[in-house]
Every structure is written in C-alpha cells, then in structure tokens.
Amino acid sequence: MTRFLLLLSLALAACDSGSPMSEENDDTHTETTLRALATAKGLHVGAAVAAGPLASDPAYREVLGTEFNMLTAENVMKMGPLRPSPQAFSWDDADALVDFAESNDMAIRGHALVWHSSLPSWVESANWGRQELIAILQEHITAVVTRYSGRIAHWDVVNEAVGDDARRRPTLFNEVIGPEYLQMAFGFAHDADPDAKLFYNDYSAEGLGAKSDAVYALVQELLSTGTPIHGVGLQMHVTTSNPPSMDAVRSNIRRLAALGMEVHITEMDVRIPESPTDGDLVAQAQVYNDVLELCLSESACTSLVFWGFTDRHSWIPSFFPGFGAALPFDENYQPKLAYQVMQQTLSN
Ligand code: XIL
C-alpha cells in the first residue's frame, strides 16, 4: 500500500469514529487541530483572510483562530484597497486583520507591497515621471511597513515581477522606474522595519522551468547588489490534473535555500470541478498532502499558507469558471478529505 493510501485509510477511519471537528470543543479537538499539530512541528500553517467574513461571521473567525497559527491578507493590504487616494490611507480592514492575528496569537504574512494588479486608479492612470513614481513607491512602502513594524514579521515586498514568458514583467514600475525598482522596494521595506523578513512571491515558479529559473536568477541578482531579501514565496495555485512534480519543487526549494532563502508556500489551493466527485476529493487530498510532506521535510520551508480555508470564500469560482472546492474546508466549514489526510500526516 502506498503511503498516501495508508494515510487515506487512517483519515477515513478517523472520520468514521467521529471527526475531531464534529466533537465538542474539548482538549481532544484542540490537540488535533492543524494549528496545534503544525506548531508542535515548528511549522506555520496559515490562511488568507477576507475582510468581509472576518468582520461578520463568527464561524469564520472561530475556525480561522482555531486551525491556523498564521494568516495573510487576501486583499486588504494591497495598494488599491489601502490607498483610495494619494492623500488618504484606509487602514481599518488591515488593522482589524492584524488585531485578530494578535489576539489569537497568530503570525502574519503581509501581502503585498508592490504588485502590478490591484493598484489604485490614481496610480495607474497618471503619466508619472521616474522620480515621482519612486517617491510614491517609497512613501507607500514606508507608511505601510512602519505602521505594522514589529507586528508583521514577513512581507511579500514584490509580487509577480516575472511574466509567464520568464522575462521581467513590463509593469508600470518596471517601465517607468526600470528593473531596479525591485532593489528599491526591498530597501524601503528594510529601512522601515529592519527585523521584518522580506520575500519575493510568484506563481508557476514552484517546480523547475524557465519561470522558476528566472526567479532564481532574480534572487541571485538581488543578493549580488546587497538587496535585503530573505525569502521566496511559492504561490502554489494548482490543479489535480497537472500538479507540479514534487521532485522538481524539492530541487527548487533546495537551490533557493542554498542562496540563503527561506521558502514559504504562500497561496496554496487545489482547484477541482465545481461539483467534485469522490475521486476529485481524493486527488485533491493527495496534492495537499504531497506539498505538506515536502514542506515538512525541507528545513528551508517554514510556512504553508492556503489561499483562504473554506470553499465558502475563495477566489477560484470567479477566476477559474467551472472550478471550485479548492480549499481544505467545505462551504459549511466542515473539514474535507484534504484536511483529514494532512491532519494524519501532522500527527505522525
Ligand atoms: C486575488 C484575490 O484572491 C482576489 O479576491 C482578488 O480579486 C484578486 O487577487 N496571486 C496573488 C493574490 O498574489 O494576491 C491574488 O489574490 C491571487 C493570485
């Protein structure tokens, strides 16, 4: 029997005897949460948080605080939401998220200081000169990182700077400032909070290939110019039909680690058809478990963060029509097979 099948049968046996989630909120429950099990192994297990349900849904808050020891902002720390106008910052939602994390003793990944998407229209629509845009970048990064200095330990400083063609993405920042905007962004963040760990984050750069080679080269280049970069985030938005090879992801993590980088899995979800079969759920559990086992076995991999945690709130159905059910909890906050299998792995 393969290891996964063994885990699957253990997970199913645990379900039959009453899953921890359906028990009363007693000690058994607390000790078997992903959070407790991951903490015991020195791993951060996290979820991206949406501001709406965090504010209004007690069940959402309960599962989030119970099951995870790390969180990140799905949207509210992006420049668009934070900077409705050049003069104003809109801190309320981001503050609420940081307050929640602190009252639940959770680590925070700040996401994301520089991204070509979710920019405010006042930034996107003007014709900036180079110095003007550098000033905006500096002011923004300094204000955000300073506000949460000492409270947010990890920041995605630049998100998705490499395109699908493995070349530097021709974003507003790249075109107006030049590729050195990356060094500047990391430098501004470091000046604002010298203790924060600063990450470069991207998608489709998990395994080996042209894009992950480009990310690796980018990290080398940043290091060679003395840029304060401490880690790389591998987003891991994947499918069951074509998941990255775990051997390739392992090699990639190792070469980044050899450069001194910490690696976080930052946005994992495993999308399956909207109305999944049992087979889809098993295949999904396997992909989640493979990534968890890989992360546990590589000392450079210190955080595994999901892009949400419940199928009730996920970006997948609107961004990948026909797909859904991508997260470890279903729409009613019940743990799915992926959860059960990861729980078995963390218990071992
Ligand atoms: C997505 C959010 O989930 C959506 O709600 C939003 O409309 C667009 O952004 N890579 C990233 C994330 O780094 O910030 C993106 O989040 C998903 C892809």
Side-chain angles (χ1 to χ4, degrees):
M1 180 150 51
T2 67
R3 194 178 149 65
F4 177 72
L5 286 178
L6 177 65
L7 286 163
L8 192 61
S9 59
L10 288 170
L12 291 169
C15 292
D16 282 349
S17 63
S19 83
M21 290 302 295
S22 58
E23 285 171 18
E24 291 304 306
N25 200 355
D26 57 14
D27 285 351
T28 323
H29 168 94
T30 312
E31 284 164 16
T32 56
T33 59
L34 295 187
R35 174 180 183 146
L37 297 168
T39 302
K41 291 198 172 329
L43 178 72
H44 277 134
V45 62
V49 172
L54 183 72
S56 63
D57 184 349
Y60 184 93
R61 297 166 69 91
E62 168 67 21
V63 177
L64 179 64
T66 306
E67 292 287 346
F68 300 98
N69 57 15
M70 176 177 253
L71 57 71
T72 189
E74 181 172 3
N75 287 306
V76 301
M77 290 184 188
K78 293 170 182 169
M79 194 177 188
L82 272 185
R83 294 296 294 279
S85 75
Q87 296 76 26
F89 280 84
S90 174
W91 298 113
D92 290 359
D93 288 340
D95 284 354
L97 190 144
V98 172
D99 290 344
F100 180 89
E102 285 180 346
S103 38
N104 288 278
D105 199 18
M106 301 163 88
I108 307 173
R109 295 195 86 260
H111 174 86
L113 297 168
V114 185
W115 191 29
H116 62 277
S117 191
S118 296
L119 284 174
S121 56
W122 64 267
V123 170
E124 266 185 323
S125 57
N127 265 325
W128 302 106
R130 184 170 186 273
Q131 290 309 324
E132 286 175 317
L133 197 58
I134 292 173
I136 289 171
L137 198 67
Q138 176 162 26
E139 189 215 5
H140 180 75
I141 293 174
T142 305
V144 178
V145 177
T146 301
R147 184 174 185 88
Y148 300 115
S149 174
R151 303 173 74 191
I152 295 187
H154 320 264
W155 272 106
D156 286 335
V157 177
V158 179
N159 194 31
E160 302 179 354
V162 177
D164 294 331
D165 57 2
R167 301 156 87 97
R168 211 56 67 81
R169 192 186 289 274
T171 64
L172 176 70
F173 302 105
N174 198 72
E175 300 310 285
V176 175
I177 299 175
E180 59 274 29
Y181 82 90
L182 280 120
Q183 283 157 252
M184 293 177 186
F186 280 88
F188 299 149
H190 185 68
D191 289 346
D193 183 356
D195 294 327
K197 294 216 171 142
L198 305 181
F199 282 69
Y200 174 76
N201 189 52
D202 215 325
Y203 66 88
S204 296
E206 290 85 8
L208 295 174
K211 184 157 175 181
S212 71
D213 287 351
V215 169
Y216 178 74
L218 171 63
V219 173
Q220 280 183 312
E221 185 187 317
L222 290 172
L223 289 171
S224 75
T225 55
T227 305
I229 176 171
H230 311 106
V232 173
L234 307 177
Q235 293 188 7
M236 202 67 79
H237 294 290
V238 299
T239 62
T240 51
S241 52
N242 195 17
S245 134
M246 289 303 118
D247 286 346
V249 180
R250 188 185 300 283
S251 302
N252 193 32
I253 291 176
R254 287 190 179 171
R255 69 176 170 172
L256 291 167
L259 294 180
M261 293 296 103
E262 198 174 319
V263 175
H264 289 180
I265 309 296
T266 52
E267 307 188 11
M268 183 167 183
D269 49 26
V270 184
R271 56 188 183 270
I272 53 181
E274 235 165 4
S275 305
T277 61
D278 286 350
D280 291 327
L281 292 166
V282 171
Q284 178 181 57
Q286 171 130 34
V287 177
Y288 270 110
N289 193 61
D290 285 349
V291 172
L292 172 63
E293 286 189 338
L294 174 57
C295 190
L296 284 170
S297 67
E298 290 298 319
S299 56
C301 185
T302 50
S303 302
L304 170 54
V305 180
F306 308 125
W307 205 239
F309 61 94
T310 164
D311 293 337
R312 198 182 195 96
H313 303 288
S314 162
W315 74 310
I316 292 296
S318 46
F319 281 78
F320 298 92
F323 287 88
L327 291 162
F329 289 84
D330 72 13
E331 292 191 351
N332 299 313
Y333 299 115
Q334 293 307 303
K336 292 159 65 178
L337 203 54
Y339 175 99
Q340 309 283 3
V341 173
M342 288 192 285
Q343 187 187 42
Q344 286 300 326
T345 290
L346 286 168
S347 305
N348 288 332

PDB file of all heavy atoms in Angstrom, residues 74-75 78 111 115 118 159-160 201 235 237 267 307 315 319, ligand 1:
ATOM      1  N   GLU A  74      -5.942  38.549   2.132  1.00  0.00           N
ATOM      2  CA  GLU A  74      -6.243  38.207   0.739  1.00  0.00           C
ATOM      3  C   GLU A  74      -6.205  39.460  -0.129  1.00  0.00           C
ATOM      4  O   GLU A  74      -5.701  39.421  -1.247  1.00  0.00           O
ATOM      5  CB  GLU A  74      -7.608  37.517   0.617  1.00  0.00           C
ATOM      6  CG  GLU A  74      -7.911  37.142  -0.833  1.00  0.00           C
ATOM      7  CD  GLU A  74      -9.140  36.284  -1.014  1.00  0.00           C
ATOM      8  OE1 GLU A  74      -9.838  35.985  -0.028  1.00  0.00           O
ATOM      9  OE2 GLU A  74      -9.417  35.915  -2.181  1.00  0.00           O
ATOM     10  N   ASN A  75      -6.727  40.564   0.370  1.00  0.00           N
ATOM     11  CA  ASN A  75      -6.764  41.786  -0.436  1.00  0.00           C
ATOM     12  C   ASN A  75      -6.435  43.083   0.303  1.00  0.00           C
ATOM     13  O   ASN A  75      -5.920  44.013  -0.306  1.00  0.00           O
ATOM     14  CB  ASN A  75      -8.161  41.945  -1.085  1.00  0.00           C
ATOM     15  CG  ASN A  75      -8.370  40.961  -2.229  1.00  0.00           C
ATOM     16  OD1 ASN A  75      -7.568  40.887  -3.163  1.00  0.00           O
ATOM     17  ND2 ASN A  75      -9.426  40.174  -2.144  1.00  0.00           N
ATOM     18  N   LYS A  78      -3.244  45.260  -0.109  1.00  0.00           N
ATOM     19  CA  LYS A  78      -2.777  45.660  -1.448  1.00  0.00           C
ATOM     20  C   LYS A  78      -2.945  47.170  -1.595  1.00  0.00           C
ATOM     21  O   LYS A  78      -3.732  47.793  -0.873  1.00  0.00           O
ATOM     22  CB  LYS A  78      -3.580  44.905  -2.516  1.00  0.00           C
ATOM     23  CG  LYS A  78      -3.284  43.396  -2.488  1.00  0.00           C
ATOM     24  CD  LYS A  78      -4.227  42.595  -3.371  1.00  0.00           C
ATOM     25  CE  LYS A  78      -3.905  41.095  -3.252  1.00  0.00           C
ATOM     26  NZ  LYS A  78      -4.946  40.245  -3.887  1.00  0.00           N
ATOM     27  N   HIS A 111       0.854  41.044   2.707  1.00  0.00           N
ATOM     28  CA  HIS A 111       0.755  40.782   1.261  1.00  0.00           C
ATOM     29  C   HIS A 111      -0.066  41.893   0.638  1.00  0.00           C
ATOM     30  O   HIS A 111      -1.203  42.073   1.043  1.00  0.00           O
ATOM     31  CB  HIS A 111       0.082  39.433   1.041  1.00  0.00           C
ATOM     32  CG  HIS A 111      -0.213  39.113  -0.395  1.00  0.00           C
ATOM     33  ND1 HIS A 111       0.708  38.523  -1.218  1.00  0.00           N
ATOM     34  CD2 HIS A 111      -1.325  39.304  -1.156  1.00  0.00           C
ATOM     35  CE1 HIS A 111       0.164  38.333  -2.426  1.00  0.00           C
ATOM     36  NE2 HIS A 111      -1.060  38.810  -2.410  1.00  0.00           N
ATOM     37  N   TRP A 115       2.693  45.307  -6.414  1.00  0.00           N
ATOM     38  CA  TRP A 115       2.069  44.359  -7.348  1.00  0.00           C
ATOM     39  C   TRP A 115       1.485  45.176  -8.486  1.00  0.00           C
ATOM     40  O   TRP A 115       0.945  46.261  -8.251  1.00  0.00           O
ATOM     41  CB  TRP A 115       0.966  43.562  -6.623  1.00  0.00           C
ATOM     42  CG  TRP A 115       0.428  42.381  -7.380  1.00  0.00           C
ATOM     43  CD1 TRP A 115       1.094  41.620  -8.288  1.00  0.00           C
ATOM     44  CD2 TRP A 115      -0.896  41.823  -7.283  1.00  0.00           C
ATOM     45  NE1 TRP A 115       0.271  40.612  -8.752  1.00  0.00           N
ATOM     46  CE2 TRP A 115      -0.952  40.707  -8.150  1.00  0.00           C
ATOM     47  CE3 TRP A 115      -2.043  42.153  -6.547  1.00  0.00           C
ATOM     48  CZ2 TRP A 115      -2.101  39.928  -8.308  1.00  0.00           C
ATOM     49  CZ3 TRP A 115      -3.178  41.376  -6.693  1.00  0.00           C
ATOM     50  CH2 TRP A 115      -3.203  40.269  -7.572  1.00  0.00           C
ATOM     51  N   SER A 118      -4.365  45.211  -8.771  1.00  0.00           N
ATOM     52  CA  SER A 118      -4.981  45.838  -7.583  1.00  0.00           C
ATOM     53  C   SER A 118      -4.307  47.162  -7.226  1.00  0.00           C
ATOM     54  O   SER A 118      -4.156  47.494  -6.041  1.00  0.00           O
ATOM     55  CB  SER A 118      -4.956  44.907  -6.361  1.00  0.00           C
ATOM     56  OG  SER A 118      -5.733  43.768  -6.583  1.00  0.00           O
ATOM     57  N   ASN A 159       5.463  41.236  -5.725  1.00  0.00           N
ATOM     58  CA  ASN A 159       4.654  40.101  -6.128  1.00  0.00           C
ATOM     59  C   ASN A 159       4.623  40.017  -7.659  1.00  0.00           C
ATOM     60  O   ASN A 159       4.338  41.017  -8.322  1.00  0.00           O
ATOM     61  CB  ASN A 159       3.225  40.341  -5.595  1.00  0.00           C
ATOM     62  CG  ASN A 159       2.335  39.115  -5.642  1.00  0.00           C
ATOM     63  OD1 ASN A 159       2.805  37.985  -5.522  1.00  0.00           O
ATOM     64  ND2 ASN A 159       1.039  39.327  -5.805  1.00  0.00           N
ATOM     65  N   GLU A 160       4.977  38.863  -8.191  1.00  0.00           N
ATOM     66  CA  GLU A 160       4.765  38.569  -9.617  1.00  0.00           C
ATOM     67  C   GLU A 160       5.494  39.519 -10.571  1.00  0.00           C
ATOM     68  O   GLU A 160       4.914  40.021 -11.534  1.00  0.00           O
ATOM     69  CB  GLU A 160       3.258  38.542  -9.932  1.00  0.00           C
ATOM     70  CG  GLU A 160       2.513  37.523  -9.084  1.00  0.00           C
ATOM     71  CD  GLU A 160       1.005  37.473  -9.343  1.00  0.00           C
ATOM     72  OE1 GLU A 160       0.501  38.322 -10.109  1.00  0.00           O
ATOM     73  OE2 GLU A 160       0.349  36.592  -8.787  1.00  0.00           O
ATOM     74  N   ASN A 201       7.543  36.986  -4.174  1.00  0.00           N
ATOM     75  CA  ASN A 201       6.461  35.996  -4.264  1.00  0.00           C
ATOM     76  C   ASN A 201       5.999  35.858  -5.716  1.00  0.00           C
ATOM     77  O   ASN A 201       5.841  36.856  -6.420  1.00  0.00           O
ATOM     78  CB  ASN A 201       5.296  36.511  -3.394  1.00  0.00           C
ATOM     79  CG  ASN A 201       4.181  35.501  -3.195  1.00  0.00           C
ATOM     80  OD1 ASN A 201       4.425  34.365  -2.798  1.00  0.00           O
ATOM     81  ND2 ASN A 201       2.951  35.918  -3.450  1.00  0.00           N
ATOM     82  N   GLN A 235       3.590  30.451  -4.740  1.00  0.00           N
ATOM     83  CA  GLN A 235       2.144  30.596  -4.519  1.00  0.00           C
ATOM     84  C   GLN A 235       1.411  29.255  -4.447  1.00  0.00           C
ATOM     85  O   GLN A 235       0.579  29.034  -3.599  1.00  0.00           O
ATOM     86  CB  GLN A 235       1.530  31.483  -5.601  1.00  0.00           C
ATOM     87  CG  GLN A 235       1.999  32.935  -5.513  1.00  0.00           C
ATOM     88  CD  GLN A 235       1.257  33.863  -6.468  1.00  0.00           C
ATOM     89  OE1 GLN A 235       0.295  33.483  -7.136  1.00  0.00           O
ATOM     90  NE2 GLN A 235       1.703  35.104  -6.548  1.00  0.00           N
ATOM     91  N   HIS A 237      -0.927  27.819  -6.633  1.00  0.00           N
ATOM     92  CA  HIS A 237      -2.323  27.689  -7.092  1.00  0.00           C
ATOM     93  C   HIS A 237      -2.316  26.561  -8.120  1.00  0.00           C
ATOM     94  O   HIS A 237      -1.860  26.762  -9.255  1.00  0.00           O
ATOM     95  CB  HIS A 237      -2.795  28.981  -7.754  1.00  0.00           C
ATOM     96  CG  HIS A 237      -2.875  30.144  -6.806  1.00  0.00           C
ATOM     97  ND1 HIS A 237      -3.828  30.224  -5.814  1.00  0.00           N
ATOM     98  CD2 HIS A 237      -2.129  31.267  -6.695  1.00  0.00           C
ATOM     99  CE1 HIS A 237      -3.669  31.351  -5.132  1.00  0.00           C
ATOM    100  NE2 HIS A 237      -2.639  32.005  -5.656  1.00  0.00           N
ATOM    101  N   GLU A 267       0.204  30.608  -1.154  1.00  0.00           N
ATOM    102  CA  GLU A 267      -1.188  30.813  -1.595  1.00  0.00           C
ATOM    103  C   GLU A 267      -1.805  29.506  -2.070  1.00  0.00           C
ATOM    104  O   GLU A 267      -2.536  29.474  -3.060  1.00  0.00           O
ATOM    105  CB  GLU A 267      -1.235  31.838  -2.737  1.00  0.00           C
ATOM    106  CG  GLU A 267      -0.543  33.150  -2.415  1.00  0.00           C
ATOM    107  CD  GLU A 267      -0.744  34.234  -3.469  1.00  0.00           C
ATOM    108  OE1 GLU A 267      -1.589  34.066  -4.377  1.00  0.00           O
ATOM    109  OE2 GLU A 267      -0.049  35.257  -3.370  1.00  0.00           O
ATOM    110  N   TRP A 307      -4.802  29.715   0.270  1.00  0.00           N
ATOM    111  CA  TRP A 307      -5.414  30.972  -0.192  1.00  0.00           C
ATOM    112  C   TRP A 307      -6.893  30.976   0.195  1.00  0.00           C
ATOM    113  O   TRP A 307      -7.782  30.860  -0.640  1.00  0.00           O
ATOM    114  CB  TRP A 307      -5.187  31.186  -1.685  1.00  0.00           C
ATOM    115  CG  TRP A 307      -5.240  32.649  -2.039  1.00  0.00           C
ATOM    116  CD1 TRP A 307      -6.094  33.258  -2.921  1.00  0.00           C
ATOM    117  CD2 TRP A 307      -4.417  33.696  -1.512  1.00  0.00           C
ATOM    118  NE1 TRP A 307      -5.849  34.619  -2.953  1.00  0.00           N
ATOM    119  CE2 TRP A 307      -4.822  34.909  -2.094  1.00  0.00           C
ATOM    120  CE3 TRP A 307      -3.369  33.740  -0.577  1.00  0.00           C
ATOM    121  CZ2 TRP A 307      -4.231  36.147  -1.792  1.00  0.00           C
ATOM    122  CZ3 TRP A 307      -2.787  34.972  -0.278  1.00  0.00           C
ATOM    123  CH2 TRP A 307      -3.223  36.142  -0.878  1.00  0.00           C
ATOM    124  N   TRP A 315     -11.393  32.644  -4.211  1.00  0.00           N
ATOM    125  CA  TRP A 315     -11.358  33.385  -5.478  1.00  0.00           C
ATOM    126  C   TRP A 315     -11.566  32.460  -6.684  1.00  0.00           C
ATOM    127  O   TRP A 315     -11.805  32.924  -7.786  1.00  0.00           O
ATOM    128  CB  TRP A 315     -10.016  34.112  -5.598  1.00  0.00           C
ATOM    129  CG  TRP A 315      -8.828  33.237  -5.912  1.00  0.00           C
ATOM    130  CD1 TRP A 315      -8.461  32.080  -5.275  1.00  0.00           C
ATOM    131  CD2 TRP A 315      -7.868  33.434  -6.954  1.00  0.00           C
ATOM    132  NE1 TRP A 315      -7.318  31.561  -5.846  1.00  0.00           N
ATOM    133  CE2 TRP A 315      -6.936  32.365  -6.878  1.00  0.00           C
ATOM    134  CE3 TRP A 315      -7.693  34.416  -7.934  1.00  0.00           C
ATOM    135  CZ2 TRP A 315      -5.858  32.259  -7.761  1.00  0.00           C
ATOM    136  CZ3 TRP A 315      -6.615  34.300  -8.805  1.00  0.00           C
ATOM    137  CH2 TRP A 315      -5.719  33.237  -8.719  1.00  0.00           C
ATOM    138  N   PHE A 319     -12.488  33.280 -10.800  1.00  0.00           N
ATOM    139  CA  PHE A 319     -11.313  33.428 -11.672  1.00  0.00           C
ATOM    140  C   PHE A 319     -11.079  32.222 -12.574  1.00  0.00           C
ATOM    141  O   PHE A 319     -10.416  32.331 -13.601  1.00  0.00           O
ATOM    142  CB  PHE A 319     -10.058  33.703 -10.837  1.00  0.00           C
ATOM    143  CG  PHE A 319      -9.952  35.129 -10.384  1.00  0.00           C
ATOM    144  CD1 PHE A 319     -10.700  35.596  -9.311  1.00  0.00           C
ATOM    145  CD2 PHE A 319      -9.137  36.027 -11.052  1.00  0.00           C
ATOM    146  CE1 PHE A 319     -10.621  36.921  -8.902  1.00  0.00           C
ATOM    147  CE2 PHE A 319      -9.042  37.356 -10.656  1.00  0.00           C
ATOM    148  CZ  PHE A 319      -9.792  37.802  -9.575  1.00  0.00           C
TER     149      PHE A 319
HETATM  150  C1  XIL B   1      -6.593  37.568  -5.594  1.00  0.00           C
HETATM  151  C2  XIL B   1      -7.745  37.599  -4.599  1.00  0.00           C
HETATM  152  O1  XIL B   1      -7.951  36.297  -4.099  1.00  0.00           O
HETATM  153  C3  XIL B   1      -8.992  38.107  -5.267  1.00  0.00           C
HETATM  154  O2  XIL B   1     -10.032  38.281  -4.299  1.00  0.00           O
HETATM  155  C4  XIL B   1      -8.706  39.458  -5.948  1.00  0.00           C
HETATM  156  O3  XIL B   1      -9.843  39.870  -6.659  1.00  0.00           O
HETATM  157  C5  XIL B   1      -7.522  39.337  -6.900  1.00  0.00           C
HETATM  158  O4  XIL B   1      -6.413  38.847  -6.192  1.00  0.00           O
HETATM  159  N1  XIL B   1      -1.924  35.892  -6.718  1.00  0.00           N
HETATM  160  C6  XIL B   1      -1.818  36.759  -5.661  1.00  0.00           C
HETATM  161  C7  XIL B   1      -3.039  37.122  -4.905  1.00  0.00           C
HETATM  162  O5  XIL B   1      -0.704  37.122  -5.272  1.00  0.00           O
HETATM  163  O6  XIL B   1      -2.952  38.419  -4.359  1.00  0.00           O
HETATM  164  C8  XIL B   1      -4.275  37.002  -5.747  1.00  0.00           C
HETATM  165  O7  XIL B   1      -5.399  37.245  -4.908  1.00  0.00           O
HETATM  166  C9  XIL B   1      -4.339  35.629  -6.369  1.00  0.00           C
HETATM  167  C10 XIL B   1      -3.150  35.398  -7.258  1.00  0.00           C
END
